[in-house]
C-alpha cells in the first residue's frame, strides 16, 4: 500500500577523501545509508541519496606532486575508482560529485559572504610551524620528532603512537618536517575564523533536541561546557582548494567546503534532472535532510555545520545518524594482518551482497563499533541467506517447473500463515526506519525458519511420489513461493541484486507497496540460482591479497626527495624481489572483471599466469609478443577470477595512462633484472 503522503527525503553520507581507495570502513557507512534509502523508496517515498569526493587539502596537493601529476588529475583518478567501487557495492547514489566543482565553489563563497555579512567572521595573526624548504605551513600531522614523554622517535606532532601522550608540535624533541626533513621555524600569518562561540545558545538547544543520538549529544556537550572556541577556516598558499574571495593567497580550509559539498552535489543533480532544489535547503519546508557519518567527525557535523547553516539562513539537518568504527576479527583494521581491506580487493574475491547482508545483520541505531568477524561472516551468510532464504525458493521452484509449468495454484492454501508474514511487515518497517537493521534481519530469519518448517512438515518431495497428490504439491509449493516473495520484499533494501533476480523469477515487483498482493494463478519466470555459498578459501585469499597489497605499496617508488621514513624498506627487503624479463605469450579479458587482463608470461623455461589490472590501458591483442618486467617470486594469490602467479610492473597515473615497463632491446625472456 502506497503512503497517503509520500515524504521528500534527502540523504547524504560522509565524503570519502580523494587520496586513497575506498576500504570496508567506507563501505559500512555507504551500505548503511543505502539500505535506509532503498527502504524509504520501497515504502513509496521520494528519497534521494547524494555524496561526493572530498577533494581538497595539503595531503592531496602533496600526493599529486609525489606522482608528478596535477591535483586535478589525481582527484579525477581517485573519483573514478571510488565511483566504480561504490557502484559494484550496489550503492544507489542519485549523484556522486566532487567538492572540486563549480557548484561547490559558488556555494562556499556564498556561505562565506553571508557569514561575513552577519559579522560571524574574525581575522587575526597566528604563529605556526613553517617548512623553510617547501615554503608551506605545516599542520601537526606533517611534523615529526621524538615523543617528549617516552622519547620514542618518529612520532607525529599531536600524539605518540607508542605511549599515547598528546602534545603540541612545539613539545617534540628535534622536530622535523615530515615532508622535506627540514627543521620547522615559526612564522606569523593572518587567518580567518568562524565565530562559533556566538552560537552557544543555539547549539545547546540543538543538542537538547532529538536531532542527535543521546551518546553523540552528550559527547558534543563536552565542547559547549568547556567553552566553544573560534574555528580556523583558512589556510595559506600553497594549498589545493578554493581561494577565499578578496583574500589573495588565502584558501578555505578543507573542512569548510567539505560539508557544503552536500549542497553542491544535490544542486548538480537538480540541474541535470530538473528536480526542485530550494525546498530541501530552505528553513520551514516539509522536506527532510539526514546525514550518515562516523563518530570521528561529529564535531564538524554536530557543531560547526549547523552553526554555519544557521548564520547563512539555510535549514539544519532533520537528524544526524552516527555509526561506530569497523573492526575486523575484534581489533582495529590492520595492514600487516591483511584485515585492512580495500573495497576493490574484497570485490576481486567475494560478492558485494555477502557483506551487505552481514553489515545489516550487525548494524543498529547506536554508535557502537561493528565487528567483521570473518569466520562468523562465512557462517552467517551461508546459513541465513543461502541456507534459509534462498532455500525456500529453490525447494519449491523445481516442483513447480516440472509439474505445473511454473504456474502457481489458483488459491492460497494457507491464508492465515501468509497473512501473518505480511502483518509482520509493519514491525520490520519500523526497525528499518530506526536503523535497527540487525533486529530487522533477526525478524526476517525467524520468518524464514517458519517457512522452511512449513515445507519440512508438508514434505512435497514425498507427496510428489504419491499418486493423486499433485494438487497438494502444487498448493504447498505455491504457499512457499508466496512466503519467499514476502521475505524478499523485506530483504530487498539489503540484497538489491538478489531481489532483481527474484523479481524476474516471481514476475512481480518486490516493494512494500505491493506487499499485500498475494500471487495466485500466477505465471512465474524461470528460476535461476540467486546466491551461492561462500567458500572460506575465498576469504583467506582476500586476506592474503590485502597483505600483498600492503607489501607492494611499501615497496612502491616515490619521487626523489619526497620519501617519508614510514614509506621506506631496508635494502635486504628489496633484494628478495626477483625481477625477471617475461614475454607475454597470451592475453585475454577476464569475464566479470572491470580492470583485469589474464596474461600468460613466458620466463624461457616456464610459464606463469598473472591477473594484471591494466585493462583500461591495453587491448589484449596488442600485448602478445611484448616483453615486460615481472616479479617472479611473488607468492601465488587466489583471486575471485583465478590464481595470479606473479606481478607485472607498470607505471603511470592510471586509466589509459598506464604503461608496462618494457626492457631494452636485446633482452630475452627469463633474464634477471639487476
Amino acid at each position: 500500500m502506497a503512503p497517503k503522503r509520500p515524504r521528500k527525503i534527502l540523504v547524504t553520507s560522509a565524503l570519502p577523501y580523494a587520496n586513497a581507495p575506498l576500504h570496508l570502513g567506507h563501505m559500512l557507512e555507504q551500505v548503511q545509508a543505502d539500505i535506509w534509502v532503498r527502504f524509504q523508496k520501497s515504502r513509496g517515498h521520494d528519497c534521494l541519496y547524494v555524496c561526493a569526493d572530498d577533494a581538497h587539502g595539503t595531503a592531496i596537493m602533496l600526493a599529486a606532486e609525489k606522482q608528478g601529476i596535477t591535483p586535478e588529475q589525481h582527484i579525477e583518478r581517485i573519483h573514478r575508482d571510488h565511483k566504480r567501487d561504490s557502484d559494484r557495492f550496489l550503492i544507489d547514489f542519485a549523484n556522486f560529485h566532487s567538492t572540486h566543482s563549480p557548484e561547490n565553489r559558488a556555494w562556499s563563497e556564498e556561505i562565506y559572504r553571508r557569514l561575513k555579512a552577519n559579522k560571524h567572521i574574525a581575522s587575526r595573526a597566528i604563529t605556526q610551524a613553517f617548512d623553510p624548504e617547501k615554503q608551506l605551513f605545516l599542520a601537526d600531522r606533517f611534523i615529526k620528532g621524538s615523543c617528549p614523554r617516552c622519547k620514542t622517535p618518529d612520532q607525529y606532532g599531536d600524539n605518540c603512537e607508542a605511549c599515547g601522550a598528546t602534545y603540541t608540535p612545539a613539545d617534540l624533541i628535534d622536530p622535523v618536517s615530515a615532508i622535506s626533513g627540514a627543521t620547522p621555524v615559526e612564522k606569523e600569518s593572518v587567518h580567518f575564523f568562524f565565530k562559533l562561540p556566538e552560537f552557544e545558545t543555539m547549539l545547546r538547544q540543538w543538542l537538547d533536541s532529538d536531532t542527535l543520538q543521546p551518546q553523540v549529544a552528550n559527547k558534543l556537550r563536552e565542547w559547549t561546557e568547556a567553552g566553544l572556541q573560534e574555528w580556523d577556516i583558512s589556510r595559506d598558499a600553497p594549498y589545493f582548494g578554493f581561494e577565499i574571495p578578496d583574500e589573495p593567497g588565502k584558501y578555505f580550509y578543507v573542512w569548510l567546503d567539505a560539508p557544503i559539498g552536500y549542497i553542491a552535489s544535490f544542486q548538480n543533480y537538480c540541474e541535470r534532472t530538473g528536480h526542485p532544489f530550494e525546498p530541501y535547503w530552505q528553513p520551514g519546508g516539509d522536506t527532510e535532510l539526514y546525514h550518515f557519518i562516523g563518530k570521528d567527525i561529529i564535531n564538524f557535523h554536530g557543531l560547526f555545520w549547523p552553526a554555519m547553516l544557521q548564520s547563512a539562513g539555510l535549514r539544519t539537518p532533520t537528524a544526524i545518524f552516527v555509526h561506530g568504527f569497523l573492526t575486523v576479527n575484534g581489533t582495529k583494521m590492520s595492514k600487516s594482518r591483511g584485515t585492512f581491506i580495500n573495497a576493490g580487493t574484497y570485490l576481486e574475491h567475494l560478492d558485494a551482497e555477502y557483506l551487505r547482508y552481514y553489515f545489516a545483520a550487525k548494524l543498529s541505531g547506536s554508535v557502537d563499533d561493528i565487528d567483521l568477524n570473518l569466520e562468523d561472516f562465512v557462517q552467517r551468510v551461508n546459513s541465513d541467506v543461502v541456507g534459509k532464504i534462498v532455500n525456500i525458493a529453490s525447494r519449491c521452484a523445481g516442483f513447480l517447473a516440472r509439474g505445473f509449468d511454473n504456474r502457481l495454484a489458483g488459491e492460497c492454501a494457507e491464508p492465515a500463515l501468509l497473512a501473518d508474514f505480511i502483518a509482520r511487515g509493519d514491525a520490520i518497517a519500523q526497525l528499518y526506519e530506526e536503523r535497527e537493521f540487525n533486529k530487522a534481519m533477526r525478524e526476517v530469519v525467524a520468518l524464514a525458519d517458519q517457512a522452511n518448517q512449513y515445507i519440512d512438515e508438508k514434505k512435497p518431495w514425498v507427496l510428489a511420489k504419491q499418486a493423486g497428490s499433485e494438487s497438494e504439491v502444487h498448493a504447498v509449493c505455491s504457499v512457499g513461493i508466496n512466503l519467499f516473495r514476502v521475505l524478499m520484499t523485506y530483504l530487498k533494501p539489503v540484497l538489491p541484486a538478489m531481489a532483481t533476480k527474484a523479481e524476474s523469477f516471481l514476475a512481480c515487483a518486490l516493494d512494500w507497496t505491493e506487499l499485500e498482493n498475494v500471487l495466485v494463478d500466477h505465471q512465474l519466470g524461470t528460476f535461476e540460482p540467486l546466491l551461492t555459498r561462500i567458500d572460506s578459501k575465498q576469504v583467506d585469499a582476500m586476506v592474503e591479497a590485502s597483505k600483498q597489497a600492503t607489501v607492494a605499496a611499501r615497496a612502491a617508488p616515490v619521487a626523489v626527495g619526497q620519501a617519508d621514513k614510514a614509506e621506506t624498506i631496508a635494502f635486504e627487503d628489496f633484494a628478495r624481489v626477483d625481477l625477471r624479463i617475461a614475454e607475454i605469450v597470451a592475453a585475454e579479458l577476464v569475464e566479470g572483471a572491470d580492470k583485469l587482463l589474464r596474461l600468460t608470461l613466458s620466463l624461457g623455461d616456464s610459464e606463469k599466469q598473472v591477473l594484471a589490472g591494466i585493462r583500461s590501458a591495453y587491448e589484449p591483442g596488442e600485448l602478445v609478443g611484448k616483453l615486460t618486467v615481472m616479479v617472479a617470486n611473488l607468492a601465488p594469490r587466489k583471486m575471485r577470477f583465478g590464481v595470479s602467479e606473479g606481478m607485472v610492473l607498470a607505471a603511470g597515473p592510471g586509466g589509459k595512462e598506464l604503461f608496462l615497463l618494457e626492457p631494452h632491446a636485446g633482452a630475452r625472456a627469463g633474464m634477471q633484472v639487476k
Side-chain angles (χ1 to χ4, degrees):
M1 183 180 297
K4 294 180 180 178
R5 186 171 179 272
R7 296 156 62 188
K8 301 172 185 176
I9 307 169
L10 177 60
V11 171
T12 76
S13 58
L15 312 185
Y17 199 45
N19 208 30
L22 297 179
H23 54 69
L24 295 193
H26 293 112
M27 300 324 305
L28 172 73
E29 179 169 295
Q30 291 189 9
V31 166
Q32 182 188 32
D34 184 71
I35 290 172
W36 198 78
V37 168
R38 287 179 181 273
F39 160 72
Q40 299 295 350
K41 290 181 176 180
S42 180
R43 297 281 283 179
H45 299 301
D46 178 6
C47 189
L48 296 168
Y49 179 13
V50 302
C51 194
D53 269 340
D54 181 3
H56 288 154
T58 302
I60 285 174
M61 178 182 72
L62 294 173
E65 180 181 310
K66 191 176 284 191
Q67 298 173 72
I69 59 178
T70 66
E72 289 83 359
Q73 289 173 315
H74 177 60
I75 63 173
E76 176 59 29
R77 176 176 61 82
I78 296 291
H79 184 79
R80 289 196 302 268
D81 291 347
H82 284 183
K83 183 65 167 62
R84 180 200 64 226
D85 289 343
S86 293
D87 285 347
R88 293 176 66 195
F89 262 100
L90 310 175
I91 308 302
D92 189 22
F93 291 127
N95 199 44
F96 187 75
H97 205 35
S98 169
T99 59
H100 192 66
S101 68
E103 299 91 348
N104 204 40
R105 181 189 293 275
W107 271 107
S108 297
E109 292 178 352
E110 175 62 22
I111 289 176
Y112 172 78
R113 289 191 178 100
R114 294 185 190 185
L115 303 186
K116 189 174 181 180
N118 292 334
K119 302 188 185 306
H120 291 144
I121 298 295
S123 64
R124 62 177 178 272
I126 64 171
T127 300
Q128 295 175 278
F130 184 78
D131 185 326
E133 187 172 314
K134 287 293 293 182
Q135 289 291 297
L136 57 78
F137 287 95
L138 297 169
D140 292 353
R141 67 184 179 278
F142 292 126
I143 303 174
K144 285 188 171 184
S146 297
C147 172
R149 187 167 83 177
C150 71
K151 308 300 187 291
T152 300
D154 208 32
Q155 298 303 305
Y156 286 100
D158 51 2
N159 69 85
C160 177
E161 294 182 351
C163 72
T166 58
Y167 42 74
T168 67
D171 298 324
L172 285 172
I173 301 170
D174 299 325
V176 297
S177 166
I179 301 169
S180 69
T183 301
V185 298
E186 290 189 342
K187 187 174 180 180
E188 190 176 83
S189 173
V190 173
H191 274 228
F192 297 87
F193 297 82
F194 176 54
K195 295 181 180 179
L196 189 65
E198 297 190 8
F199 294 85
E200 182 174 341
T201 300
M202 172 260 174
L203 289 172
R204 287 184 182 275
Q205 294 172 349
W206 158 268
L207 296 179
D208 289 339
S209 69
D210 294 328
T211 309
L212 303 164
Q213 294 125 298
Q215 309 99 305
V216 175
N218 289 337
K219 184 65 179 177
L220 291 176
R221 286 190 186 98
E222 295 177 9
W223 286 61
T224 57
E225 290 167 4
L228 296 171
Q229 303 297 313
E230 292 186 339
W231 178 39
D232 189 345
I233 62 166
S234 66
R235 292 296 184 266
D236 291 277
Y239 191 81
F240 182 59
F242 296 140
E243 198 167 35
I244 298 176
D246 306 318
E247 302 294 345
K250 305 293 181 180
Y251 290 79
F252 289 126
Y253 173 41
V254 60
W255 264 109
L256 183 285
D257 68 59
I260 296 173
Y262 302 143
I263 303 176
S265 182
F266 185 60
Q267 180 182 4
N268 178 264
Y269 169 80
C270 292
E271 289 175 348
R272 289 191 296 103
T273 63
H275 192 281
F277 171 81
E278 291 293 333
Y280 288 81
W281 290 101
Q282 298 304 317
D286 62 351
T287 61
E288 303 170 45
L289 171 64
Y290 299 96
H291 299 315
F292 284 78
I293 63 167
K295 63 184 179 181
D296 54 328
I297 54 175
I298 58 173
N299 57 328
F300 295 105
H301 286 79
L303 295 174
F304 306 155
W305 179 230
M308 283 172 50
L309 290 169
Q310 176 88 355
S311 177
L314 300 171
R315 62 92 46 83
T316 53
T318 308
I320 297 176
F321 299 143
V322 181
H323 62 81
F325 296 136
L326 178 68
T327 61
V328 179
N329 291 338
T331 61
K332 183 179 178 181
M333 291 194 295
S334 165
K335 291 185 177 180
S336 62
R337 289 192 295 268
T339 56
F340 190 98
I341 303 166
N342 286 334
T345 304
Y346 172 93
L347 291 165
E348 288 176 357
H349 300 273
L350 294 160
D351 192 295
E353 291 198 298
Y354 296 150
L355 195 60
R356 286 181 64 101
Y357 177 80
Y358 191 76
F359 280 164
K362 303 282 277 191
L363 278 162
S364 71
S366 77
V367 297
D368 296 335
D369 291 346
I370 296 92
D371 186 51
L372 169 57
N373 181 288
L374 295 175
E375 187 175 321
D376 179 56
F377 165 66
V378 173
Q379 189 278 330
R380 186 172 300 203
V381 172
N382 287 345
S383 172
D384 292 359
V385 183
V386 182
K388 295 179 179 179
I389 308 294
V390 172
N391 191 46
I392 298 168
S394 60
R395 296 174 88 181
C396 298
F399 292 110
L400 292 169
R402 288 190 296 272
F404 308 99
D405 195 27
N406 273 342
R407 195 165 192 87
L408 297 180
E411 61 181 21
C412 178
E414 299 286 347
L417 177 62
L418 183 56
D420 179 61
F421 270 52
I422 294 172
R424 299 282 281 276
D426 288 341
I428 293 170
Q430 189 60 35
L431 292 172
Y432 267 113
E433 182 69 41
E434 296 170 354
R435 305 174 325 286
E436 298 287 354
F437 299 159
N438 55 351
K439 295 179 182 177
M441 294 306 100
R442 285 200 292 271
E443 290 288 323
V444 172
V445 171
L447 288 175
D449 285 336
Q450 281 186 248
N452 279 297
Q453 184 179 1
Y454 166 77
I455 297 170
D456 287 340
E457 289 173 352
K458 296 297 183 180
K459 296 181 174 55
W461 55 91
V462 174
L463 293 172
K465 298 177 182 178
Q466 299 174 0
S469 298
E470 291 84 359
S471 62
E472 194 171 353
V473 172
H474 197 195
V476 169
C477 292
S478 295
V479 169
I481 292 300
N482 267 286
L483 297 179
F484 171 74
R485 177 191 68 87
V486 175
L487 294 175
M488 281 308 304
T489 299
Y490 298 152
L491 282 173
K492 185 177 179 179
V494 178
L495 303 171
M498 182 170 149
T500 297
K501 294 178 183 177
E503 286 175 328
S504 178
F505 164 59
L506 295 170
C508 71
L510 294 172
D511 290 313
W512 237 278
T513 52
E514 306 294 323
L515 197 55
E516 296 181 6
N517 295 337
V518 180
L519 303 182
V520 292
D521 193 24
H522 178 80
Q523 184 66 48
L524 299 173
T526 302
F527 180 77
E528 301 289 346
L530 299 174
L531 201 68
T532 58
R533 296 172 63 85
I534 305 175
D535 186 337
S536 59
K537 292 179 181 178
Q538 294 172 277
V539 176
D540 294 340
M542 175 187 67
V543 171
E544 182 59 32
S546 297
K547 290 180 184 177
Q548 295 289 350
T550 299
V551 172
R554 287 175 176 167
V558 295
V560 175
Q562 297 299 319
D564 187 306
K565 290 181 182 177
E567 297 171 325
T568 61
I569 60 172
F571 177 78
E572 292 77 11
D573 294 326
F574 180 71
R576 296 172 58 199
V577 179
D578 183 12
L579 298 178
R580 292 191 179 270
I581 295 169
E583 181 183 357
I584 303 173
V585 296
E588 59 185 14
L589 300 175
V590 179
E591 185 177 353
D594 295 330
K595 59 183 180 180
L596 296 178
L597 292 179
R598 181 177 284 106
L599 306 180
T600 302
L601 301 173
S602 172
L603 293 172
D605 57 354
S606 64
E607 289 188 352
K608 290 197 174 189
Q609 178 178 275
V610 171
L611 296 176
I614 58 173
R615 180 172 173 176
S616 62
Y618 291 97
E619 292 295 327
E622 63 185 297
L623 290 173
V624 176
K626 286 183 177 290
L627 296 179
T628 188
V629 177
M630 74 171 295
V631 180
N633 62 339
L634 193 64
R637 169 183 167 191
K638 185 176 180 181
M639 302 170 65
R640 181 181 177 187
F641 302 103
V643 176
S644 185
E645 300 175 306
M647 177 186 295
V648 295
L649 303 189
K656 294 187 177 299
E657 296 183 69
L658 194 61
F659 310 104
L660 286 178
L661 300 187
E662 297 188 41
H664 59 78
R668 65 181 186 278
M671 181 181 291
Q672 192 169 34
V673 179
K674 298 290 188 179

